[in-house]
Amino acid sequence: MDVATNLRHIRQNIEQACEKSNRNPDDITIIGVTKYVTIERTKELINAGIKNLGENRLDGFLQKHEYIQDNATWHFIGTLQSRKVKEVIGKVDAVHSLDRKSLAKEINKRAANPVDCFVQVNVSGEESKHGIMPEETLAFIKDMEGFANIRVIGLMTMAPHIEDENELRQVFRRLASLRDSIKSEQLPHAPCQYLSMGMSNDYHLAVEEGATHVRIGSSLVGS
Ligand SMILES: *Cc1c(COP(=O)(O)O)cnc(C)c1O
């Protein structure tokens, strides 16, 4: 399928989810995840109207970033090793995988300006998943206060690979409520207004539960 057709379909689903949940589609940012595809295909995505791009690996990110900078906002959505931070800083617009203090420390040290970060939360508690445990998230974020170059703009999670809609909703709901409680603290370094959740299989549910950033790869550009 061509990207524009896929995108039209995705936008329709997002509009439907917004209708169900009384939300405004303008409040939802589609991040096109380009990790499976070529630079050519990524350019098609931009031509179709997607400005926000996501990569989960350093190599893929650097490779595409070299060719695609104009009109693009880059999100780093995968695990980031501390020793690789210097390679992405200054190129990436948002990091979705802040999950440990050592990483924050490195970003803080390398960045010339505050970096927008989502704190990754392991809502489902799966051992294989990265992320801070929900009950430790507020303390972790408070701890970021000393890092002048870290701005916590939201929370991110990866839902488990399951079909059960109710279970998925529970995960998204827990992240939304955690976001609400952190936002209500009104921490100057952590406005925490955004929710990065939902991928190809579950973004419609994530939007119904409050996602502001959905990260969509395979159903948008193919895999
Ligand atoms: C690959 C990836 C996505 C997109 O996955 P799809 O199921 O292809 O939409 C979203 N978020 C992260 C962190 C990813 O690594």
Side-chain angles (χ1 to χ4, degrees):
M1 280 288 213
D2 71 295
V3 173
T5 307
N6 292 338
L7 181 58
R8 222 169 12 250
H9 188 72
I10 289 166
R11 287 219 165 105
Q12 277 167 4
N13 289 338
I14 289 177
E15 273 165 33
Q16 255 172 31
C18 282
E19 239 164 69
K20 279 194 199 167
S21 52
N22 243 322
R23 301 189 60 205
N24 182 347
D26 293 343
D27 294 338
I28 289 127
T29 299
I30 298 171
I31 298 173
V33 176
T34 55
K35 67 188 186 196
Y36 312 109
V37 300
T38 59
I39 289 167
E40 278 316 302
R41 188 81 166 156
T42 304
K43 287 182 176 166
E44 243 182 272
L45 186 59
I46 290 177
N47 290 335
I50 291 293
K51 303 282 176 252
N52 288 274
L53 304 175
E55 277 283 332
N56 69 331
R57 302 201 40 187
L58 182 70
D59 293 353
F61 167 70
L62 291 177
Q63 198 191 14
K64 292 202 177 74
H65 180 269
E66 194 180 337
Y67 293 97
I68 300 169
Q69 290 169 34
D70 296 346
N71 298 321
T73 298
W74 278 105
H75 300 258
F76 198 87
I77 61 176
T79 307
L80 185 55
Q81 289 175 282
S82 296
R83 64 193 168 84
K84 306 283 186 179
V85 163
K86 58 179 178 298
E87 299 184 52
V88 304
I89 285 301
K91 297 182 174 163
V92 83
D93 299 287
V95 172
H96 287 240
S97 48
L98 178 56
D99 64 351
R100 53 196 199 281
K101 194 167 178 181
S102 54
L103 178 59
K105 196 173 166 186
E106 186 66 15
I107 293 173
N108 187 59
K109 181 171 130 190
R110 300 284 177 183
N113 300 298
V115 178
D116 285 342
C117 297
F118 290 79
V119 168
Q120 183 168 354
V121 183
N122 185 353
V123 179
S124 58
E126 289 172 284
E127 273 187 33
S128 60
K129 287 225 155 51
H130 290 270
I132 307 273
M133 288 298 144
E135 58 279 10
E136 290 161 7
T137 305
L138 177 60
F140 176 79
I141 289 175
K142 283 187 169 166
D143 217 19
M144 296 291 105
E145 191 185 1
F147 297 133
N149 285 333
I150 300 281
R151 230 174 92 82
V152 179
I153 62 167
L155 302 181
M156 178 274 214
T157 201
M158 303 265 292
H161 294 284
I162 51 169
E163 298 286 318
D164 188 304
E165 281 203 5
N166 281 325
E167 262 184 72
L168 286 167
R169 273 186 202 280
Q170 286 310 319
V171 169
F172 296 141
R173 234 170 252 177
R174 280 189 74 192
L175 194 73
S177 104
L178 192 55
R179 187 273 317 262
D180 292 345
S181 69
I182 291 164
K183 192 175 161 203
S184 73
E185 298 272 329
Q186 300 188 298
L187 305 167
H189 69 288
C192 204
Q193 69 267 49
Y194 299 126
L195 277 175
S196 169
M197 59 188 195
M199 319 199 321
S200 285
N201 293 327
D202 53 22
Y203 66 89
H204 59 295
L205 300 173
V207 168
E208 283 184 39
E209 301 301 338
T212 61
H213 294 67
V214 291
R215 309 178 308 267
I216 305 182
S218 43
S219 72
L220 182 57
V221 290
S223 53

Short mmCIF file of all heavy atoms in Angstrom, two decimals, residues 31-36 54-57 76-79 96-97 120 156-158 161 196 198-203 214-223, ligand 1:
data_model
loop_
_atom_site.label_atom_id
_atom_site.label_comp_id
_atom_site.label_asym_id
_atom_site.label_seq_id
_atom_site.Cartn_x
_atom_site.Cartn_y
_atom_site.Cartn_z
N ILE A 31 3.73 9.84 15.11
CA ILE A 31 5.15 9.67 14.86
C ILE A 31 5.30 8.50 13.90
O ILE A 31 4.92 7.37 14.22
CB ILE A 31 5.93 9.40 16.17
CG1 ILE A 31 5.79 10.60 17.12
CG2 ILE A 31 7.40 9.11 15.87
CD1 ILE A 31 6.37 10.35 18.51
N GLY A 32 5.81 8.77 12.73
CA GLY A 32 6.04 7.70 11.76
C GLY A 32 7.33 6.99 12.10
O GLY A 32 8.40 7.59 12.09
N VAL A 33 7.22 5.72 12.43
CA VAL A 33 8.41 4.95 12.81
C VAL A 33 9.01 4.34 11.55
O VAL A 33 8.36 3.56 10.85
CB VAL A 33 8.06 3.86 13.85
CG1 VAL A 33 9.29 3.01 14.17
CG2 VAL A 33 7.52 4.52 15.12
N THR A 34 10.25 4.74 11.27
CA THR A 34 10.86 4.42 9.98
C THR A 34 11.90 3.30 10.07
O THR A 34 12.62 3.05 9.11
CB THR A 34 11.52 5.68 9.40
OG1 THR A 34 12.44 6.21 10.38
CG2 THR A 34 10.49 6.75 9.08
N LYS A 35 11.95 2.63 11.21
CA LYS A 35 13.03 1.66 11.42
C LYS A 35 13.05 0.51 10.42
O LYS A 35 14.07 -0.10 10.21
CB LYS A 35 12.96 1.12 12.84
CG LYS A 35 11.75 0.26 13.14
CD LYS A 35 11.68 -0.05 14.63
CE LYS A 35 10.56 -1.02 14.92
NZ LYS A 35 10.23 -1.05 16.36
N TYR A 36 11.91 0.19 9.82
CA TYR A 36 11.87 -0.95 8.90
C TYR A 36 12.16 -0.55 7.46
O TYR A 36 12.26 -1.41 6.60
CB TYR A 36 10.47 -1.58 8.88
CG TYR A 36 9.84 -1.85 10.21
CD1 TYR A 36 8.76 -1.10 10.66
CD2 TYR A 36 10.30 -2.90 11.01
CE1 TYR A 36 8.15 -1.37 11.88
CE2 TYR A 36 9.70 -3.17 12.23
CZ TYR A 36 8.63 -2.40 12.66
OH TYR A 36 8.03 -2.67 13.85
N GLY A 54 10.31 8.65 13.89
CA GLY A 54 10.90 7.94 15.03
C GLY A 54 11.79 6.81 14.58
O GLY A 54 11.49 6.08 13.65
N GLU A 55 12.92 6.69 15.27
CA GLU A 55 13.84 5.56 15.06
C GLU A 55 14.20 5.00 16.42
O GLU A 55 14.33 5.74 17.40
CB GLU A 55 15.12 6.04 14.35
CG GLU A 55 15.01 6.15 12.84
CD GLU A 55 15.06 4.79 12.11
OE1 GLU A 55 15.67 3.83 12.62
OE2 GLU A 55 14.48 4.71 11.01
N ASN A 56 14.40 3.68 16.47
CA ASN A 56 14.70 3.07 17.76
C ASN A 56 16.15 2.64 17.90
O ASN A 56 16.57 2.19 18.95
CB ASN A 56 13.79 1.86 18.01
CG ASN A 56 14.10 0.71 17.09
OD1 ASN A 56 14.58 0.92 15.97
ND2 ASN A 56 13.85 -0.49 17.55
N ARG A 57 16.91 2.75 16.79
CA ARG A 57 18.31 2.36 16.90
C ARG A 57 19.21 3.47 16.39
O ARG A 57 18.87 4.19 15.46
CB ARG A 57 18.55 1.08 16.09
CG ARG A 57 17.65 -0.04 16.59
CD ARG A 57 18.15 -1.38 16.23
NE ARG A 57 19.60 -1.47 16.39
CZ ARG A 57 20.30 -2.53 16.00
NH1 ARG A 57 19.69 -3.53 15.42
NH2 ARG A 57 21.61 -2.56 16.16
N PHE A 76 13.75 9.91 19.22
CA PHE A 76 14.49 8.68 19.48
C PHE A 76 13.65 7.84 20.43
O PHE A 76 13.42 8.22 21.57
CB PHE A 76 15.88 8.97 20.06
CG PHE A 76 16.78 7.78 19.92
CD1 PHE A 76 17.52 7.58 18.77
CD2 PHE A 76 16.82 6.80 20.92
CE1 PHE A 76 18.31 6.45 18.61
CE2 PHE A 76 17.61 5.66 20.76
CZ PHE A 76 18.36 5.49 19.61
N ILE A 77 13.18 6.68 19.92
CA ILE A 77 12.18 5.92 20.68
C ILE A 77 12.71 4.63 21.29
O ILE A 77 11.99 3.95 22.01
CB ILE A 77 10.94 5.61 19.80
CG1 ILE A 77 11.34 4.75 18.60
CG2 ILE A 77 10.26 6.90 19.33
CD1 ILE A 77 10.14 4.31 17.74
N GLY A 78 13.96 4.29 20.98
CA GLY A 78 14.48 3.01 21.49
C GLY A 78 15.44 3.19 22.64
O GLY A 78 15.75 4.31 23.05
N THR A 79 15.91 2.07 23.13
CA THR A 79 16.88 2.09 24.22
C THR A 79 18.12 2.86 23.79
O THR A 79 18.64 2.65 22.69
CB THR A 79 17.30 0.65 24.57
OG1 THR A 79 16.11 -0.09 24.80
CG2 THR A 79 18.17 0.62 25.80
N HIS A 96 12.37 9.38 23.85
CA HIS A 96 11.20 8.74 24.47
C HIS A 96 11.57 7.65 25.46
O HIS A 96 10.69 6.96 25.96
CB HIS A 96 10.31 8.13 23.39
CG HIS A 96 9.55 9.13 22.57
ND1 HIS A 96 8.19 9.17 22.50
CD2 HIS A 96 10.00 10.16 21.80
CE1 HIS A 96 7.81 10.16 21.70
NE2 HIS A 96 8.89 10.78 21.26
N SER A 97 12.85 7.48 25.72
CA SER A 97 13.27 6.29 26.45
C SER A 97 14.14 6.61 27.67
O SER A 97 15.02 5.84 28.02
CB SER A 97 14.03 5.38 25.49
OG SER A 97 15.01 6.15 24.78
N GLN A 120 10.30 6.63 30.22
CA GLN A 120 9.69 5.35 29.85
C GLN A 120 9.30 4.59 31.10
O GLN A 120 10.10 4.41 32.02
CB GLN A 120 10.66 4.52 29.00
CG GLN A 120 10.04 3.21 28.53
CD GLN A 120 10.85 2.50 27.46
OE1 GLN A 120 11.84 3.03 26.97
NE2 GLN A 120 10.42 1.30 27.10
N MET A 156 6.16 7.63 28.53
CA MET A 156 6.05 6.71 27.38
C MET A 156 5.94 5.30 27.91
O MET A 156 6.51 4.97 28.95
CB MET A 156 7.31 6.86 26.53
CG MET A 156 7.41 5.95 25.32
SD MET A 156 8.11 4.32 25.66
CE MET A 156 8.98 4.02 24.11
N THR A 157 5.19 4.46 27.20
CA THR A 157 5.22 3.04 27.52
C THR A 157 5.08 2.20 26.27
O THR A 157 4.60 2.68 25.23
CB THR A 157 4.13 2.64 28.55
OG1 THR A 157 4.52 1.41 29.18
CG2 THR A 157 2.76 2.46 27.92
N MET A 158 5.55 0.98 26.38
CA MET A 158 5.34 -0.04 25.36
C MET A 158 4.33 -1.02 25.96
O MET A 158 4.60 -1.61 26.99
CB MET A 158 6.63 -0.82 25.09
CG MET A 158 7.81 0.01 24.68
SD MET A 158 7.99 0.11 22.90
CE MET A 158 8.45 -1.56 22.47
N HIS A 161 2.64 -7.39 24.05
CA HIS A 161 2.12 -7.95 22.79
C HIS A 161 0.96 -8.90 23.11
O HIS A 161 1.13 -10.10 23.15
CB HIS A 161 3.21 -8.72 22.05
CG HIS A 161 4.32 -7.85 21.57
ND1 HIS A 161 4.18 -7.03 20.47
CD2 HIS A 161 5.55 -7.65 22.05
CE1 HIS A 161 5.31 -6.37 20.29
NE2 HIS A 161 6.16 -6.72 21.24
N SER A 196 3.14 9.26 25.33
CA SER A 196 3.58 8.55 24.14
C SER A 196 3.22 7.08 24.29
O SER A 196 3.88 6.33 25.00
CB SER A 196 5.09 8.73 23.97
OG SER A 196 5.61 7.87 22.98
N GLY A 198 0.88 3.64 22.23
CA GLY A 198 0.11 3.16 21.09
C GLY A 198 1.00 2.95 19.88
O GLY A 198 1.79 3.83 19.53
N MET A 199 0.89 1.76 19.27
CA MET A 199 1.64 1.41 18.08
C MET A 199 0.65 0.86 17.05
O MET A 199 -0.56 0.99 17.23
CB MET A 199 2.74 0.39 18.41
CG MET A 199 3.43 0.70 19.73
SD MET A 199 5.05 -0.04 20.04
CE MET A 199 4.95 -1.66 19.41
N SER A 200 1.17 0.25 15.99
CA SER A 200 0.28 -0.17 14.89
C SER A 200 -0.97 -0.94 15.33
O SER A 200 -2.05 -0.72 14.81
CB SER A 200 1.06 -1.01 13.88
OG SER A 200 1.89 -0.17 13.12
N ASN A 201 -0.78 -1.85 16.27
CA ASN A 201 -1.92 -2.72 16.62
C ASN A 201 -2.88 -2.13 17.64
O ASN A 201 -3.98 -2.65 17.80
CB ASN A 201 -1.41 -4.06 17.16
CG ASN A 201 -0.71 -4.85 16.08
OD1 ASN A 201 -1.09 -4.76 14.91
ND2 ASN A 201 0.32 -5.57 16.46
N ASP A 202 -2.44 -1.11 18.34
CA ASP A 202 -3.27 -0.68 19.47
C ASP A 202 -3.43 0.84 19.59
O ASP A 202 -3.94 1.34 20.58
CB ASP A 202 -2.71 -1.26 20.78
CG ASP A 202 -1.24 -0.95 20.98
OD1 ASP A 202 -0.75 0.03 20.37
OD2 ASP A 202 -0.57 -1.67 21.74
N TYR A 203 -3.02 1.57 18.55
CA TYR A 203 -3.05 3.04 18.70
C TYR A 203 -4.47 3.58 18.89
O TYR A 203 -4.68 4.58 19.57
CB TYR A 203 -2.35 3.73 17.52
CG TYR A 203 -3.04 3.57 16.18
CD1 TYR A 203 -4.00 4.48 15.77
CD2 TYR A 203 -2.72 2.52 15.34
CE1 TYR A 203 -4.64 4.32 14.54
CE2 TYR A 203 -3.35 2.35 14.12
CZ TYR A 203 -4.32 3.24 13.74
OH TYR A 203 -4.96 3.09 12.54
N VAL A 214 1.34 8.91 19.14
CA VAL A 214 1.30 7.49 18.80
C VAL A 214 2.48 7.19 17.88
O VAL A 214 2.84 8.01 17.04
CB VAL A 214 -0.04 7.08 18.14
CG1 VAL A 214 -1.18 7.14 19.14
CG2 VAL A 214 -0.38 7.96 16.93
N ARG A 215 3.12 6.05 18.09
CA ARG A 215 4.31 5.69 17.34
C ARG A 215 3.96 4.54 16.39
O ARG A 215 3.80 3.40 16.81
CB ARG A 215 5.42 5.24 18.32
CG ARG A 215 5.68 6.23 19.47
CD ARG A 215 6.73 5.69 20.40
NE ARG A 215 6.46 4.34 20.87
CZ ARG A 215 5.82 4.04 22.00
NH1 ARG A 215 5.41 4.98 22.82
NH2 ARG A 215 5.59 2.78 22.32
N ILE A 216 3.80 4.88 15.12
CA ILE A 216 3.26 3.90 14.19
C ILE A 216 4.26 3.58 13.08
O ILE A 216 4.70 4.47 12.36
CB ILE A 216 1.93 4.40 13.59
CG1 ILE A 216 0.97 4.76 14.74
CG2 ILE A 216 1.32 3.33 12.69
CD1 ILE A 216 -0.40 5.22 14.27
N GLY A 217 4.59 2.30 12.99
CA GLY A 217 5.54 1.87 11.97
C GLY A 217 4.88 1.03 10.90
O GLY A 217 4.48 1.53 9.84
N SER A 218 4.72 -0.26 11.18
CA SER A 218 4.32 -1.22 10.14
C SER A 218 3.01 -0.88 9.44
O SER A 218 2.93 -1.02 8.22
CB SER A 218 4.28 -2.63 10.71
OG SER A 218 3.67 -2.65 11.98
N SER A 219 2.01 -0.40 10.14
CA SER A 219 0.74 -0.17 9.45
C SER A 219 0.78 1.13 8.64
O SER A 219 -0.12 1.40 7.85
CB SER A 219 -0.44 -0.19 10.42
OG SER A 219 -0.43 0.96 11.21
N LEU A 220 1.84 1.89 8.79
CA LEU A 220 1.97 3.14 8.04
C LEU A 220 2.92 2.99 6.85
O LEU A 220 2.57 3.37 5.73
CB LEU A 220 2.49 4.24 8.99
CG LEU A 220 2.67 5.64 8.44
CD1 LEU A 220 1.39 6.20 7.84
CD2 LEU A 220 3.18 6.57 9.54
N VAL A 221 4.08 2.46 7.10
CA VAL A 221 5.07 2.36 6.03
C VAL A 221 5.34 0.93 5.58
O VAL A 221 6.11 0.70 4.64
CB VAL A 221 6.42 3.00 6.45
CG1 VAL A 221 6.29 4.50 6.54
CG2 VAL A 221 6.92 2.41 7.76
N GLY A 222 4.72 -0.03 6.26
CA GLY A 222 4.99 -1.43 5.96
C GLY A 222 6.18 -1.93 6.77
O GLY A 222 6.85 -1.14 7.45
N SER A 223 6.40 -3.21 6.72
CA SER A 223 7.54 -3.77 7.48
C SER A 223 8.25 -4.79 6.64
O SER A 223 9.16 -4.94 6.18
CB SER A 223 7.06 -4.45 8.74
OG SER A 223 6.05 -5.38 8.43
C1 LIG B 1 9.01 -0.33 16.31
C2 LIG B 1 8.48 0.52 17.36
C3 LIG B 1 7.21 1.12 17.23
C4 LIG B 1 6.30 0.90 16.03
O1 LIG B 1 5.89 -0.42 15.95
P1 LIG B 1 4.75 -0.88 14.92
O2 LIG B 1 4.07 -2.00 15.62
O3 LIG B 1 5.45 -1.30 13.69
O4 LIG B 1 3.84 0.26 14.70
C5 LIG B 1 6.78 1.95 18.25
N1 LIG B 1 7.54 2.18 19.34
C6 LIG B 1 8.74 1.63 19.51
C7 LIG B 1 9.53 1.95 20.73
C8 LIG B 1 9.26 0.78 18.53
O5 LIG B 1 10.47 0.22 18.71
#
